[in-house]
Amino acid sequence: MGECSGAMGSDGDVAVLVSIVGEVESAAAAVTAGQVAEVRALARAGQLAERQAAGAPARVRAHDMALRAVAAELGGVLRVTDRTVQVRIDEARTIVEDYSSALTAWEAGRITRAHVRVIVDAGTVVPSGLRAGFEVEAVRLCEGDTPNRVRAAVETLAERMADRSFTDRHRDAAANRCVRVVPGRDGMSDVVATVPTVIADGILDRLTQQAQTVIDARTSDDRNAIGDGGSDVRRIDQVRADILTDLLLTGVPSLDPTAAGDAPGVLGAIRAQVQVIVPVLTLLGADDGPADLVGRSPVDADTARCLAAHAPSWTRVLTDPIDGTVVTVDRYRTAWPQRRFLRARDQHCRFPGCRRAAIRCEIDHTIDAALGGPTTLSNLAHLCQRHHSMKQFTRWRVRQLPRGVLEWTSPTGRTYREDAPAPPVAFTPASVEPVENAPF
């Protein structure tokens, strides 16, 4: 009996655990209350934007400018991008307006936020007339189990109530196919393609066959050399990834709408562009500090030097060693001096929180050219298409201060100071000589 008591902990330990459980339970209730309050507030924000858009010109309505402006206002408070806030607003409206019973159960602590997400995701196939019955039964299922374990039952319930066939829904889902990049750690990212399942399975099968052929093609000497550090010791996953990369970066699409007869089209000639900033000491091999893939994440020194060695054009930027301000820009087979300077200075979209790389942005006149704004460096800045349109069609305002600083004012009067990006590397100055960075 004594051993059992010792293994389970003393009475004092049990008392401490009881206290901890109570604290966690209270904290969870507080979190739930905050989450529900935020969902309700975000839904009201979406409804406000809808009312604002009702009287706006058709072009403004078509691009959700009112919703963008509201999302940007909230993004400044939440410290996330306006794109993220816009998604959260849409999700909040769906919960509040279409799943009120699930929201009430969540607020009462009978289910969790994860349960609500399961119900909403599954409920997309349920007709509006049957949604109330589905919701009540789905909440009942969720009250008795964890989200992961109840998901299949809720999805099955939804399928029984669906008024459209799986084939019809697949056609709609296929219309949302896309490719996206999810930044990871240590200079790696996931390239995610959302495509029909049969296509995805075919892609993996072909990559597997090609990778196996590469592995089988290794000579016996290569195989014998593997244990001694041979040159090609890649696993099949690595070979598959390398083949996929090669095909996407250098391959020619089988269907090219620009082709004329037997003449090749232009798609195969298109090459990828990346905007990378490399500190000169990294470029010269004096250190292995990371470079910066603008708009994404750090890049390892070996990759940065390889890119620099094969880049068709690149720009040398001299920065002040004290505050990092761009001093001058030298060109190497690159035109448009203003564009070179602005890319070096801005690096990315200059709207607060946005990291869209400058090479994928538009150069905006801070004071519109139509209103007499000059085409000078002190009146130009990179904005992505989304935020360029917001500046033009919403009540967000911006002015450019000296040294490329942008001061944004939101519709509610909040101000956000957007300094020119700091260089991705800092030096302790031994003299007043400028330090060289090399973006390309």
Side-chain angles (χ1 to χ4, degrees):
M1 187 69 178
E3 290 181 0
C4 181
S5 176
M8 296 298 293
S10 66
D11 291 343
D13 289 341
V14 172
V16 171
L17 180 58
V18 169
S19 175
I20 292 173
V21 170
E23 291 175 14
V24 171
E25 189 175 34
S26 297
V31 168
T32 294
Q35 290 174 334
V36 171
E38 182 184 76
V39 164
R40 293 188 187 279
L42 289 174
R44 291 200 305 274
Q47 293 160 353
L48 171 63
E50 185 176 2
R51 292 196 299 272
Q52 290 177 340
R59 184 178 180 186
V60 175
R61 291 199 306 273
H63 292 86
D64 292 329
M65 289 301 168
L67 182 56
R68 290 187 190 184
V70 169
E73 184 80 58
L74 293 171
V77 174
L78 298 173
R79 297 188 179 183
V80 296
T81 68
D82 54 289
R83 291 181 178 87
T84 298
V85 175
Q86 189 168 334
V87 171
R88 289 167 63 177
I89 287 174
D90 290 340
E91 293 173 342
R93 289 197 65 178
T94 299
I95 294 172
V96 170
E97 297 171 11
D98 298 336
Y99 294 92
S100 58
S101 295
L103 179 61
T104 300
W106 177 21
E107 191 170 23
R110 290 156 47 204
I111 62 176
T112 67
R113 183 173 197 156
H115 285 112
V116 174
R117 188 171 292 114
V118 168
I119 294 171
V120 172
D121 289 347
T124 56
V125 304
V126 178
S128 58
L130 301 177
R131 187 174 296 138
F134 160 76
E135 190 180 7
V136 169
E137 181 62 17
V139 168
R140 186 191 67 79
L141 291 171
C142 288
E143 287 178 323
D145 219 328
T146 62
N148 284 341
R149 293 181 64 179
V150 80
R151 181 183 300 276
V154 174
E155 290 176 347
T156 299
L157 174 67
E159 286 292 342
R160 289 174 181 163
M161 296 183 174
D163 63 347
R164 299 181 65 210
S165 70
F166 182 84
T167 299
D168 287 341
R169 299 203 312 273
H170 171 73
R171 291 193 186 104
D172 290 345
N176 294 319
R177 59 193 180 277
C178 63
V179 177
R180 59 194 183 277
V181 175
V182 182
R185 297 179 60 85
D186 301 324
M188 302 296 286
S189 291
D190 294 324
V191 179
V192 181
T194 301
V195 296
T197 300
V198 66
I199 300 296
D201 198 57
I203 289 172
L204 182 61
D205 179 69
R206 186 174 187 227
L207 288 174
T208 299
Q209 291 186 56
Q210 291 178 329
Q212 193 60 57
T213 300
V214 170
I215 292 173
D216 292 344
R218 294 170 179 164
T219 65
S220 57
D221 290 341
D222 289 333
R223 294 193 182 94
N224 293 334
I226 289 176
D228 301 322
S231 59
D232 191 352
V233 295
R234 296 175 295 170
R235 302 186 306 275
I236 191 167
D237 279 339
Q238 295 171 316
V239 178
R240 271 194 297 242
D242 293 344
I243 292 173
L244 175 64
T245 301
D246 191 31
L247 288 172
L248 292 178
L249 291 178
T250 65
V252 178
S254 58
L255 296 177
D256 187 344
T258 66
D262 294 332
V266 300
L267 293 186
I270 294 175
R271 290 294 178 262
Q273 291 188 61
V274 293
Q275 183 180 344
V276 182
I277 298 179
V278 189
V280 69
L281 295 181
T282 299
L283 190 64
L284 297 176
D287 69 28
D288 283 333
D292 179 33
L293 178 60
V294 177
R296 291 295 180 186
S297 57
V299 177
D300 66 283
D302 288 340
T303 298
R305 286 191 284 265
C306 179
L307 288 171
H310 295 90
S313 64
W314 57 283
T315 304
R316 184 176 65 189
V317 180
L318 303 182
T319 59
D320 188 288
I322 305 298
D323 60 13
T325 302
V326 174
V327 176
T328 187
V329 178
D330 292 338
R331 80 177 183 195
Y332 288 80
R333 304 188 302 279
T334 306
W336 312 306
Q338 285 182 322
R339 288 181 178 273
R340 289 195 312 274
F341 184 91
L342 291 168
R343 282 187 182 181
R345 185 196 71 184
D346 293 346
Q347 301 181 30
H348 51 68
C349 172
R350 297 294 306 286
F351 188 84
C354 186
R355 285 274 292 171
R356 181 66 58 88
I359 58 174
R360 294 179 177 86
C361 293
E362 303 164 352
I363 294 180
D364 170 65
H365 286 71
T366 305
I367 301 174
D368 292 348
L371 300 178
T375 306
T376 60
L377 295 175
S378 60
N379 191 50
L380 298 173
H382 281 91
L383 295 179
C384 68
Q385 190 279 328
R386 176 186 179 88
H387 295 125
H388 195 171
S389 299
M390 276 183 52
K391 172 180 173 288
Q392 183 176 0
F393 294 111
T394 75
R395 297 179 66 181
W396 277 87
R397 295 293 177 261
V398 63
R399 65 176 182 143
Q400 187 160 165
L401 306 178
R403 304 174 77 85
V405 175
L406 298 187
E407 184 180 82
W408 290 86
T409 303
S410 76
T412 62
R414 294 174 181 268
T415 59
Y416 300 92
R417 182 185 173 97
E418 179 73 9
D419 295 339
V425 65
F427 297 94
T428 302
S431 67
V432 296
E433 292 297 321
V435 178
E436 297 184 4
N437 281 356
F440 59 90

